[in-house]
Amino acid sequence: MSILKIILLIALTKLCTLSLTNADESLLVYTKKINALLSEYHAKNKVAPNPLVDDSVFVRRAYLNIIGRIPTASETIQYIESKDIRKKQKLITSLIGSEGYVSHQYNWWADILRVNTRMQGQSPSNGMAYSNWIKESIRENKSYDNFVRDLITAEGMIDENGAVGFYLRDRGMELDHLATTAQVFLGTQLVCAQCHDHPFDDWSQMDYYELAAFSTPVRSVRRTESMDKAIQIAQKQMKLPRGNKGKASDIRKNKTRQLQRAFQGLTDNFRNSIVRETRTPLKLPDDYQYEDAKPNDIVLPSTPFGQNVKVTNSDSRIEAYANWMTSPDNPRFTKTIVNRIWKKVFGVGLYEPVDKIDDTTKPADAKLMAYLEQLMVDLNYDMRKFNAVLYNTDVFTRESQSFELNVGETFYFQGPRFQRMSAEQIWDSVVSMIRSDLDEVPENSSYSPRLKAWEKLNQQSPEALIKRSREVATFNRETLKKLDQFREQVKEVISKKKEDEALVLAKRILNFNQKATAEYARLTYWDPSDLKGYFRTPFRNTPRALAAELKKAFPGQKYPNLYKQVANSKMKSQAAKKQKGGNQKPRFDKRDRIFRGYVRASEISSPAPDGHFLRDFGQSDRSLIENANYKASTTQALSMMNGDFLKFLMNPNSVISQKMNTAGDSDELIDLIYLTVFSRYPTLLEKSLLRDEAAISGEMAARSILWSTLNTQQFLFIQ
């Protein structure tokens, strides 16, 4: 590189640093305004803010709140020993810009959006695509209004657009989906109005259905728009009259249904993965009992508050819905996200509960709430900037305040609320003592055989789709005919006890299934060499069932695996090389083998399986919005005392174990454990007591002291 390029690079780096610093300084103006409003609020209520915390408490609090884990011993020491007068601001900026922020924000959103990576009746890849889309949106700092807009208007195949998971999460429950959407993004609970006029709010059942009429047409579908066009072309080719009655009409409908079924064969392996806005009307329920309409009347979309939005039949309802939802003029959209973030930072919302905002509820401080709403709009819904403003406030540096969220009690924000870590924070804090690569960006392969097939399908013209659907139908008929022949052969072999022919016949059947599946994949635009996991065919169960009959009748033979992957090993090998780029060997990381499963909570299936540490400590089951449980239990105590994680902490390859093994004496060992677990140095009394423990325990001292500190309330709570 030339000297000129080096000079330019250095200059550019300084310019970017200067710009970042200036941006941070501008945010402090907003922080000072919030500080002034809180001071005014405290004075009005005759309360004083809590004392300031020391550096060790602050650094632990900042790490846990912003990136969801405790700081390492070295991170704590670096912060405590720093003499920089702006070190708090710099730490907050650094943490908010890190991958740990992405992980922790994702956990928060997964709880709010009820993200389930094992959505019932769907491919596991659907849930992962949705999860990865949320993480990437956080990583790129997508503005909140665009984040919500992308979810509301999501369409297409989920491998192509992960936001489609927003609708697939509640597939088949369109009316319920409307209730959760309003609760999440508008802070409004209107689920009661689905069945009757709301008893405590100004919501009628008609209001509910009119709002639902915007989004209920968005559904999981089996056909693409090009297929709809193909059906129209085919209908014209049939040269049948369009009469509504009579034999001709019945013939037309029957042929149309046949064509639709043929098209579904092309998209069979995309089922429960495609979402688009349909023209399906919403009707009132059979038991609708109010005088403003009759049961089963078609409902036209309309908004219950804010700007009155109505759409015609030619307009996109979902686009109009998204425009209304995310508008700064919507009286509850900005208010709700501001309140949710405020609660995440300080433990209590200005409105409580955060999702029961109506015309009668009042915030703790109306002036502060109004300022925060305007600030969010002025920042163009920039989530990182808004978080930075709140974390830099004076109240975040104050001692925490004990408070129970009981009705009628007031929290005066003299400091953040004293609370236990979430299940995800506890888990990630423990894993941070095991792995050093916790905050690296995870490797997510963007390669998807299903997406590749989907793109190829969408490139086809309506005429090509009609031709291919007929080819698929012909192939299926021939395949089923061949399987009928195999069925007769199996009956004959079993009835005549031809044991010597059983194994040969079983292999022929399974080999036929393998070739037929590969051909079916090709006809439906899949690459046969790319088939992985479960691949659906109309004949998938019969070959295995026939081979199983032979195996049961003649168990003495060594039969091939009935569930063998379709693509042969040579094809797989070629596909793998193509995917990885030639003959490159996959990267092998020893830590992945030793500490398998000990990764960020955000990288584990959502929710974690029953019995997992996360579930024992109250992780939400993702069935309800923000359904996590922070209550202590016997299971949690037993898990901390006897859980497998201590074995991994003491593994010679873990971060904490390697550091403890290098400690020069018991004092250094005690300092290391305290700085790691509590983010502080031990007191003189604590150190003197633990010296005696170290002398008694000998080689087991490290394990004993570490176990003791992890089983304290001091570790589990955020001061």
Side-chain angles (χ1 to χ4, degrees):
M1 183 182 291
S2 68
I3 294 178
L4 179 58
K5 286 185 177 179
I6 293 173
I7 294 172
L8 287 172
L9 184 61
I10 293 172
L12 182 60
T13 303
K14 288 184 177 180
L15 180 60
C16 291
T17 305
L18 180 62
S19 299
L20 180 62
T21 304
N22 289 340
D24 292 343
E25 290 295 339
S26 68
L27 294 181
L28 290 181
V29 174
Y30 306 130
T31 297
K32 290 175 182 177
K33 177 62 177 179
I34 294 173
N35 289 340
L37 289 170
L38 280 170
S39 295
E40 185 180 325
Y41 174 70
H42 292 152
K44 181 173 66 177
N45 290 282
K46 299 179 180 179
V47 296
N50 293 339
L52 293 169
V53 298
D54 60 26
D55 282 346
S56 63
V57 171
F58 180 83
V59 70
R60 192 174 194 266
R61 177 188 293 174
Y63 269 82
L64 282 168
N65 276 268
I66 301 174
I67 68 170
R69 66 165 175 85
I70 58 175
T72 64
S74 58
E75 287 168 338
T76 297
I77 293 171
Q78 180 182 1
Y79 183 80
I80 291 175
E81 295 184 353
S82 173
K83 304 302 181 184
D84 191 335
I85 60 173
R86 297 174 67 247
K87 66 180 183 180
K88 288 182 180 178
Q89 181 189 345
K90 288 182 177 180
L91 175 65
I92 291 166
T93 300
S94 173
L95 294 178
I96 287 178
S98 71
E99 181 63 20
Y101 169 85
V102 175
S103 174
H104 191 47
Q105 285 286 113
Y106 167 77
N107 291 334
W108 184 57
W109 275 114
D111 204 0
I112 294 173
L113 294 173
R114 303 169 299 123
V115 174
N116 193 323
T117 52
R118 300 183 299 276
M119 291 187 281
Q120 188 174 6
Q122 300 179 41
S123 165
S125 60
N126 284 9
M128 293 308 299
Y130 184 30
S131 172
N132 289 335
W133 182 88
I134 295 172
K135 291 174 189 173
E136 191 55 38
S137 296
I138 298 168
R139 191 172 288 118
E140 69 182 45
N141 195 30
K142 182 178 293 182
S143 66
Y144 177 70
D145 55 340
N146 283 333
F147 175 74
V148 176
R149 172 180 291 280
D150 288 348
L151 290 173
I152 297 291
T153 61
E155 65 176 354
M157 210 269 285
I158 193 167
D159 290 15
E160 183 179 41
N161 179 11
V164 163
F166 178 65
Y167 286 101
L168 291 178
R169 167 63 181 82
D170 295 322
R171 182 177 59 87
M173 300 183 291
E174 288 81 14
L175 285 172
D176 294 327
H177 180 77
L178 179 276
T180 56
T181 300
Q183 189 173 341
V184 168
F185 301 129
L186 301 177
T188 303
Q189 292 195 16
L190 48 89
V191 66
C192 290
Q194 183 175 340
C195 301
H196 51 76
D197 287 356
H198 202 294
F200 309 116
D201 203 350
D202 191 25
W203 280 87
S204 67
Q205 190 176 11
M206 180 59 77
D207 289 333
Y208 187 96
Y209 273 79
E210 286 179 338
L211 186 58
F214 281 107
S215 61
T216 51
V218 180
R219 301 190 174 196
S220 174
V221 297
R222 293 287 300 275
R223 300 196 308 270
T224 65
E225 290 185 13
S226 60
M227 288 180 181
D228 288 342
K229 293 177 182 177
I231 289 173
Q232 294 173 7
I233 293 172
Q235 286 177 331
K236 291 179 181 178
Q237 292 174 348
M238 292 175 196
K239 296 181 179 179
L240 294 172
R242 290 184 171 274
N244 294 325
K245 297 180 181 180
K247 187 176 180 180
S249 176
D250 291 340
I251 294 173
R252 184 185 191 87
K253 289 179 181 177
N254 184 49
K255 287 186 174 293
T256 300
R257 281 194 293 268
Q258 290 177 4
L259 187 59
Q260 289 173 343
R261 284 195 292 269
F263 280 143
Q264 286 178 0
L266 296 181
T267 60
D268 211 26
N269 282 287
F270 304 113
R271 65 190 307 164
N272 304 332
S273 302
I274 309 169
V275 162
R276 65 184 173 92
E277 184 177 0
T278 68
R279 293 294 178 183
T280 307
L282 178 64
K283 295 182 179 181
L284 289 171
D286 295 336
D287 59 353
Y288 190 77
Q289 56 185 326
Y290 300 102
E291 295 180 356
D292 54 353
K294 296 178 181 179
N296 295 310
D297 277 356
I298 292 177
V299 182
L300 296 178
S302 182
T303 51
F305 55 77
Q307 183 183 0
N308 187 14
V309 177
K310 293 186 180 294
V311 294
T312 65
N313 289 333
S314 61
D315 294 333
S316 167
R317 295 186 177 190
I318 208 63
E319 288 288 344
Y321 182 48
N323 291 340
W324 170 78
M325 174 77 74
T326 62
S327 170
D329 296 328
N330 187 314
R332 297 187 187 177
F333 177 69
T334 308
K335 189 189 307 294
T336 298
I337 187 58
V338 162
N339 195 44
R340 284 192 182 279
I341 298 175
W342 184 272
K343 180 170 184 174
K344 185 178 184 299
V345 174
F346 301 112
V348 181
L350 289 168
Y351 283 95
E352 282 291 347
V354 295
D355 53 10
K356 285 188 178 180
I357 301 173
D358 57 40
D359 293 337
T360 63
T361 53
K362 304 296 180 186
D365 186 70
K367 194 173 180 181
L368 174 59
M369 189 71 210
Y371 177 76
L372 292 172
E373 289 183 61
Q374 187 58 51
L375 174 59
M376 178 64 87
V377 174
D378 291 344
L379 291 175
N380 296 316
Y381 294 91
D382 188 311
M383 298 287 273
R384 288 186 194 262
K385 288 182 178 179
F386 191 82
N387 272 284
V389 170
L390 298 193
Y391 282 119
N392 274 291
T393 55
D394 176 71
V395 68
F396 188 71
T397 66
R398 300 284 176 174
E399 288 183 4
S400 57
Q401 183 85 15
S402 296
F403 183 74
E404 294 296 328
L405 286 173
N406 297 322
V407 177
E409 293 189 32
T410 303
F411 188 74
Y412 293 107
F413 302 102
Q414 296 157 278
R417 181 187 175 208
F418 179 69
Q419 53 190 334
R420 198 198 76 174
M421 293 189 217
S422 66
E424 290 85 355
Q425 286 171 320
I426 299 170
W427 172 263
D428 285 352
S429 294
V430 170
V431 175
S432 72
M433 303 179 204
I434 296 174
R435 304 183 68 131
S436 61
D437 59 345
L438 194 67
D439 293 328
E440 293 180 6
V441 180
E443 294 181 6
N444 290 317
S445 174
S446 59
Y447 183 77
S448 168
R450 186 168 66 165
L451 178 57
K452 182 179 175 183
W454 170 255
E455 290 172 344
K456 194 171 182 180
L457 174 67
N458 276 314
Q459 292 170 1
Q460 309 304 312
S461 66
E463 293 79 7
L465 290 173
I466 292 173
K467 180 181 177 182
R468 182 56 62 89
S469 68
R470 289 168 180 162
E471 291 176 11
V472 171
T474 301
F475 174 78
N476 288 342
R477 284 195 299 270
E478 293 174 351
T479 302
L480 292 174
K481 188 185 296 183
K482 181 64 175 177
L483 289 174
D484 285 339
Q485 295 173 5
F486 277 129
R487 188 177 288 107
E488 293 301 319
Q489 292 173 27
V490 169
K491 286 181 181 178
E492 182 180 355
V493 167
I494 294 175
S495 63
K496 295 183 179 180
K497 299 182 180 179
K498 298 180 179 180
E499 185 172 359
D500 56 330
E501 296 181 17
L503 181 59
V504 175
L505 180 57
K507 288 181 177 179
R508 281 174 53 208
I509 292 171
L510 294 176
N511 185 54
F512 172 80
N513 181 50
Q514 182 173 324
K515 291 181 178 178
T517 302
E519 177 60 12
Y520 182 82
R522 185 193 68 79
L523 287 170
T524 55
Y525 303 104
W526 286 68
D527 184 344
S529 66
D530 263 356
L531 300 186
K532 297 178 181 179
Y534 181 72
F535 183 77
R536 180 184 295 270
T537 68
F539 48 83
R540 62 192 176 280
N541 295 322
T542 303
R544 291 166 182 165
L546 294 175
E549 283 184 42
L550 291 168
K551 185 176 182 180
K552 183 179 179 181
F554 309 108
Q557 303 283 0
K558 188 175 181 181
Y559 293 87
N561 184 356
L562 302 185
Y563 296 93
K564 184 180 179 182
Q565 177 56 273
V566 172
N568 61 44
S569 58
K570 184 177 180 181
M571 282 181 168
K572 279 190 191 177
S573 176
Q574 290 172 347
K577 287 180 180 179
K578 182 179 178 182
Q579 179 179 343
K580 293 181 181 297
N583 296 314
Q584 294 179 3
K585 293 182 179 180
R587 184 177 63 84
F588 179 78
D589 194 331
K590 185 178 181 181
R591 294 168 303 190
D592 293 332
R593 177 174 59 82
I594 298 173
F595 303 127
R596 185 179 301 276
Y598 279 81
V599 294
R600 275 275 199 177
S602 59
E603 299 307 308
I604 298 172
S605 60
S606 174
D610 291 339
H612 191 279
F613 181 100
L614 287 165
R615 298 298 297 279
D616 287 345
F617 275 84
Q619 184 191 51
S620 168
D621 60 4
R622 307 298 194 236
S623 61
L624 299 175
I625 297 168
E626 292 191 294
N627 198 30
N629 185 352
Y630 288 79
K631 294 180 180 178
S633 69
T634 303
T635 304
Q636 293 172 12
L638 292 173
S639 182
M640 291 300 293
M641 289 189 291
N642 306 314
D644 288 340
F645 69 85
L646 187 63
K647 175 180 70 177
F648 289 94
L649 285 168
M650 298 309 299
N651 185 290
N653 293 285
S654 77
V655 173
I656 186 68
S657 183
Q658 289 178 346
K659 289 183 177 179
M660 290 190 299
N661 289 337
T662 60
D665 53 28
S666 61
D667 278 16
E668 191 175 338
L669 174 66
I670 295 165
D671 283 348
L672 172 66
I673 293 175
Y674 264 67
L675 285 166
T676 299
V677 178
F678 300 141
S679 304
R680 66 174 178 85
Y681 286 100
T683 64
L684 292 175
L685 176 60
E686 287 169 332
K687 185 171 283 191
S688 64
L689 293 172
L690 290 173
R691 282 196 197 107
D692 296 338
E693 173 62 28
I696 296 170
S697 301
E699 294 181 358
M700 295 293 291
R703 180 188 182 94
S704 178
I705 296 172
L706 180 61
W707 180 89
S708 299
T709 54
L710 289 173
N711 280 280
T712 62
Q713 296 295 302
Q714 189 176 165
F715 168 66
L716 293 174
F717 279 79
I718 307 172
Q719 293 188 46

